[in-house]
Amino acid sequence: MLKKHRNIFSYSFDCLKRYRMRSIAIIVTFLVATTMISAVLFAKDGLEREAEYSVSVAPDLTVQYLKAGRVAQIPVTYADNISRVEGVDRVLLRTWGYVGIGTNTYTVIGLDPSGLNYSGIAASSLESGRFLNADDSGAGNVVVGQLIAGILDVTAGDDMILLSESVDAKRFHIVGVFSDKESIYTADMIVMSLEDANEFFKMDEGMVTDLCVYVNEGLVPQDVAAKMSAMPNVRILDQDLLLRGYKAAYAAKGGIFTTLWTIVLVAVALIAFSQAIVVGHESKFEVGLLKTFGFSTLDVIEVRLIESLTLGFFATSLGMLFGFAYAAIFNAPGLVDILLGWAFLPSEFRLPVVVSFESVFSIYAVTIIPLLITTVVPAWLNAITDPELAMRRAAT
Amino acid sequence: MIEARNITKIYNRGKFNETAAVVDISLKIKDKTIVALTGPSGCGKTTMLSMLSLILTPSSGEILYDGDGVLRASDFWKTVFRRNNFGFVFQHINLLPQYTALENVLLPIYASDEDPAQYKERATMMLDELGIADRAGHLVEQLSGGEQQRVAFVRALIKNPRYIFADEPTVFVDEETSKIIYRTLTRLRDEGRTVVISTHDVELMKLSDDTFRMCKGRRA
C-alpha cells in the first residue's frame, strides 16, 4: 500500500514537470495575486502593531474639553479637579498640534518635562542626544523623530525653524533624535516643553489641548473614568477606545485591499475552474486513461491533490516572500499612500511590516483552498465517469 | 469465461440525440481464445468492447466473469479488477504525449503496489521483441504511428494480464506492424490469455477462434 502511494507521489511530481506550461501558468497567476495580498496584509499587521504600541504608551485616560460638541481647549484648572478624583495618580497637561515643514506635516507634542518620565515617549529610545528635562521648560529645546531628522538632514545639536499658524518663525534647538525607524508613533513627532508648545500654538492663558491622566496601579481606568464623567463638557478616552479607533482606520484601509485581492483570487479560481472543466481536455483524457489502467477515483484525487498542494504551497510561499520584499524592502510603491492615507506621513516613511501567523494562514487559505477545489472537483467528476466516456469527451 | 447477457447501451437517453449503440446483445467468450467483434463502422463494436472491459457501463444487461456478475460491483472493485486482469490497446493508441515510450509502458504499474523500476527490464525486453527497443527513450510524439501502436501493445501486456482488449489494433499501422501484431496476439492466446478484439481486418478475423458480427448495434 505504501509503495502505491510512493508511485502516486512519483507520478504526480512527474506530471508537474511534464505539464510545464500548466504548472507555470498556475504558479505565475498565484504568485501575482499572493504577492499583492501578502503585501497588504503584512503592512496592515505592521500598522496594527504600531497602533497597539501607540496605545500602550498612551496615558491611561485622555481628557478633552468639548464645546458645542467639538474638541476645544481645556482649562488647566480641570487638572486640579481631576487630581482629586479617587484613583487618579497623576494628571499631566499636554498641548499638541500639527506643524507644516515644506509639503509635509508633523506632530508637535508639548509636555511638562518634569512629568515626561510618566509618558510613553520616554520609553522610546534615542538615536542621539537626550530627552527633555526640567531645565528645558521654555528653553526652545526639542526631541524629533528620526523621519524628520532624515528629511531635514538634522541631528542632535542642530537648530530647526518652525513656522506657526500665525506665520511666526521660531527657532528650536534639537537636543535628541528618536531612534525607532519604523515607529509611526515617534516618526513624525516633535517633542517640546509645554511652555514652548503653548507659546508656539498661541494657546489662551491657562489652557491646554488635553489632559493625560494616570490612575493608581491596580485600578481599572474605566472605573476611574466613570467617576470623572460627571464633570461638565469633558470627553474621556481610554486606551481601548483609542485602539479601536486606530485599528478601525488601519483595518478599513487594509480591508479594502484584502477584499479587492480576494475578489481577484476568486476570479482566478473561477478561470482555473472553467479551464479545468471546459478546456482541460488533456486532463480529462489523462484521468480516463489512469482509471482504465487501474487508478481508483481516490488515486486520481490523490494525484491532483499532490499536484495542487505542491504548486499552491510553492507559489503562495514564494508570493508571500515577494509580498514581504515588496512591502518591507521596496516600501510597497503604489500601496503605501493608500495604506497610510489617514496619516500625515511623508512618502519617506518606511511602511511597518509584520508577518503574523493569522495573515500567513489566511493567505494560504484563500489561495490553496480555491486551487484545490478547482482542480480536485473536476478530477473527481471525471474519475467517477466511465473511463471510456471521459476519454471520448476529452477527444471531442 | 466472459459472458454478456442482453447488453444494451443507449447514449444521451431521453435527449434529442439519443443513440442506441448496442441493443440486446448476448455472447460468450471462452478462455484462452481470440474473439473478434466485427462489422461496419458505427455498428457498436467499440462500445461493446468497452462494456466487456468494464470501462463503460451498459444501460441494461449483465456481464459475467467466470460466472459472477460484475456490473453491480463498486467502481473501486471494477477498477481493481481491471488493474489486475486487463490489458488495453486502443484504436487511437492513447499514449501520454509528454512521456517516453518506456514511461508509457510503465504507466499501469504506478497504480499498483509494485516498483515501476523493477519492470524496466521486462519492458525493454518486450519493446525489443516488437522491434522498438531503440525507441524506448523517445517521446511518443517522436514515434511513428506503427511504433506508437507497438508501445501500446507492450503497455497492455506489461503486467501479464489474463484478458487483453484491443480496439482496431491494426487500423492505423503499416503492414510490418500488422504482422507483428498478428504474431503477438497468436502467441498471447497460446500462452493462455483471452484476447477480445474489434476489427475490420480480415487477417485478424482469420486467426480468431470465434467471431461475432454486429450490425446497427445488434448481432447480425
Side-chain angles (χ1 to χ4, degrees):
Chain A
M1 200 65 177
L2 211 62
K3 273 185 186 170
K4 187 177 148 193
H5 289 294
R6 197 182 61 188
N7 287 347
I8 289 173
F9 259 88
S10 168
Y11 177 79
S12 306
F13 286 122
D14 235 23
C15 278
L16 292 177
K17 282 189 287 179
R18 289 171 201 275
Y19 297 98
R20 206 170 288 135
M21 287 315 293
R22 188 169 76 186
S23 302
I24 290 173
I26 291 174
I27 287 174
V28 170
T29 313
F30 278 80
L31 198 59
V32 171
T34 50
T35 296
M36 298 309 293
I37 204 168
S38 308
V40 172
L41 284 179
F42 294 162
K44 186 177 85 73
D45 288 342
L47 291 170
E48 284 189 350
R49 182 198 64 181
E50 287 302 312
E52 281 162 10
Y53 175 73
S54 300
V55 169
S56 74
V57 296
D60 295 328
L61 299 166
T62 303
V63 180
Q64 297 175 326
Y65 187 83
L66 293 181
K67 192 171 183 180
R70 296 171 65 86
V71 178
Q73 297 178 18
I74 187 167
V76 293
T77 52
Y78 268 62
D80 296 331
N81 296 338
I82 290 169
S83 299
R84 283 194 288 275
V85 173
E86 191 185 342
V88 171
D89 179 32
R90 189 172 178 123
V91 182
L92 293 182
L93 307 175
R94 183 168 72 176
T95 290
W96 67 276
Y98 299 109
V99 60
I101 305 176
T103 55
N104 299 326
T105 305
Y106 302 106
T107 306
V108 171
I109 292 190
L111 285 166
D112 180 357
S114 62
L116 200 59
N117 59 336
Y118 262 83
S119 77
I121 296 168
S124 303
S125 57
L126 294 179
E127 184 193 61
S128 61
R130 62 172 176 81
F131 281 114
L132 301 179
N133 57 41
D135 296 335
D136 291 314
S137 201
N141 291 338
V142 293
V143 179
V144 299
Q146 203 188 61
L147 180 70
I148 303 172
I151 292 171
L152 300 180
D153 194 23
V154 292
T155 186
D158 292 341
D159 285 350
M160 65 189 290
I161 292 171
L162 300 179
L163 210 58
S164 74
E165 288 156 349
S166 50
V167 206
D168 287 339
K170 184 166 171 52
R171 181 180 294 273
F172 288 93
H173 182 67
I174 300 167
V175 296
V177 175
F178 291 113
S179 68
D180 211 348
K181 287 177 187 174
E182 291 182 347
S183 169
I184 292 176
Y185 183 62
T186 57
D188 70 334
M189 193 182 277
I190 301 171
V191 180
M192 58 180 67
S193 71
L194 183 68
E195 204 177 326
D196 285 332
N198 281 340
E199 186 192 336
F200 181 71
F201 288 120
K202 299 202 181 324
M203 299 290 287
D204 295 339
E205 186 63 31
M207 297 292 214
V208 290
T209 54
D210 50 24
L211 304 174
C212 304
V213 178
Y214 297 87
V215 304
N216 288 324
E217 210 171 316
L219 293 181
V220 178
Q222 285 84 349
D223 293 343
V224 179
K227 292 173 190 166
M228 291 156 51
S229 59
M231 296 176 76
N233 301 92
V234 295
R235 179 168 73 174
I236 304 163
L237 306 172
D238 61 32
Q239 290 188 344
D240 287 348
L241 202 64
L242 288 175
L243 186 61
R244 279 206 296 275
Y246 282 132
K247 281 196 169 180
Y250 302 153
K253 293 286 179 189
I256 290 166
F257 268 77
T258 307
T259 308
L260 279 175
W261 284 105
T262 304
I263 291 167
V264 169
L265 277 173
V266 170
V268 166
L270 285 173
I271 292 165
F273 191 65
S274 61
Q275 277 193 327
I277 283 183
V278 182
V279 186
H281 294 300
E282 194 177 56
S283 179
K284 267 186 198 170
F285 169 75
E286 185 193 354
V287 170
L289 202 62
L290 293 180
K291 282 276 289 184
T292 302
F293 290 131
F295 281 70
S296 68
T297 301
L298 277 177
D299 295 338
V300 170
I301 290 172
E302 189 177 336
V303 168
R304 289 291 179 260
L305 266 177
I306 293 165
E307 285 178 15
S308 300
L309 285 174
T310 307
L311 283 180
F313 270 109
F314 175 71
T316 305
S317 304
L318 203 61
M320 278 196 264
L321 210 63
F322 283 12
F324 180 80
Y326 172 69
I329 299 171
F330 299 107
N331 208 30
L335 279 182
V336 66
D337 292 338
I338 300 164
L339 285 168
L340 295 176
W342 48 271
F344 299 113
L345 287 169
S347 55
E348 287 82 352
F349 179 72
R350 300 297 303 178
L351 195 64
V353 176
V354 166
V355 180
S356 72
F357 171 78
E358 287 84 359
S359 289
V360 170
F361 181 81
S362 305
I363 295 163
Y364 277 126
V366 298
T367 51
I368 290 175
I369 291 172
L371 181 63
L372 287 182
I373 293 169
T374 56
T375 50
V376 170
V377 171
W380 170 71
L381 288 173
N382 282 330
I384 58 171
T385 307
D386 281 339
E388 204 271 346
L389 282 179
M391 286 188 286
R392 188 182 296 196
R393 283 174 190 163
T396 54
Chain B
M1 186 170 72
I2 309 171
E3 186 179 355
R5 287 183 187 163
N6 310 108
I7 290 293
T8 295
K9 179 66 187 179
I10 299 172
Y11 289 110
N12 308 315
R13 189 193 283 266
K15 296 181 182 169
F16 73 96
N17 55 346
E18 181 176 299
T19 308
V22 171
V23 182
D24 199 29
I25 286 188
S26 297
L27 54 82
K28 286 182 182 175
I29 297 167
K30 289 178 191 163
D31 285 343
K32 303 173 188 175
T33 58
I34 297 175
V35 172
L37 303 173
T38 65
S41 295
C43 70
K45 298 188 298 291
T46 298
T47 300
M48 190 65 205
L49 194 77
S50 298
M51 289 191 288
L52 289 172
S53 60
L54 307 182
I55 60 171
L56 184 66
T57 307
S59 303
S60 63
E62 182 58 282
I63 292 171
L64 300 94
Y65 275 83
D66 296 330
D68 294 326
V70 294
L71 291 183
R72 288 200 180 84
S74 68
D75 178 65
F76 180 74
W77 186 92
K78 283 188 260 189
T79 302
V80 174
F81 191 71
R82 280 197 301 270
R83 182 194 304 163
N84 294 335
N85 296 287
F86 294 174
F88 292 90
V89 179
F90 300 97
Q91 182 179 350
H92 295 288
I93 301 170
N94 290 358
L95 298 172
L96 291 175
Q98 290 84 359
Y99 289 70
T100 65
L102 182 64
E103 288 164 343
N104 266 285
V105 166
L106 295 175
L107 188 63
I109 313 296
Y110 281 89
S112 70
D113 281 328
E114 293 162 293
D115 183 359
Q118 289 177 348
Y119 277 79
K120 271 186 181 169
E121 198 179 329
R122 175 176 158 79
T124 310
M125 197 179 71
M126 291 171 77
L127 288 169
D128 189 39
E129 281 173 14
L130 295 186
I132 49 168
D134 58 327
R135 309 292 274 164
H138 288 72
L139 288 175
V140 167
E141 60 193 10
Q142 295 168 327
L143 306 179
S144 69
E147 287 172 331
Q148 288 184 16
Q149 190 61 293
R150 281 182 262 175
V151 172
F153 254 92
V154 177
R155 181 179 64 182
L157 304 177
I158 187 70
K159 288 189 75 182
N160 201 17
R162 185 177 162 197
Y163 302 99
I164 292 116
F165 296 92
D167 187 11
E168 305 273 16
T170 55
V171 75
F172 292 130
V173 297
D174 54 35
E175 200 181 331
E176 187 204 338
T177 306
S178 293
K179 283 178 184 167
I180 292 171
I181 289 172
Y182 303 148
R183 280 202 304 272
T184 306
L185 292 176
T186 309
R187 180 171 55 81
L188 288 170
R189 185 217 13 228
D190 296 344
E191 287 173 4
R193 276 55 128 1
T194 306
V195 181
V196 186
I197 50 176
S198 77
T199 186
H200 288 106
D201 187 334
V202 178
E203 289 302 316
L204 266 181
M205 289 181 215
K206 279 184 194 164
L207 61 90
S208 300
D209 301 295
D210 209 349
T211 302
F212 294 97
R213 183 162 175 78
M214 293 176 67
C215 185
K216 294 182 180 174
R218 297 172 187 272
R219 276 190 75 170

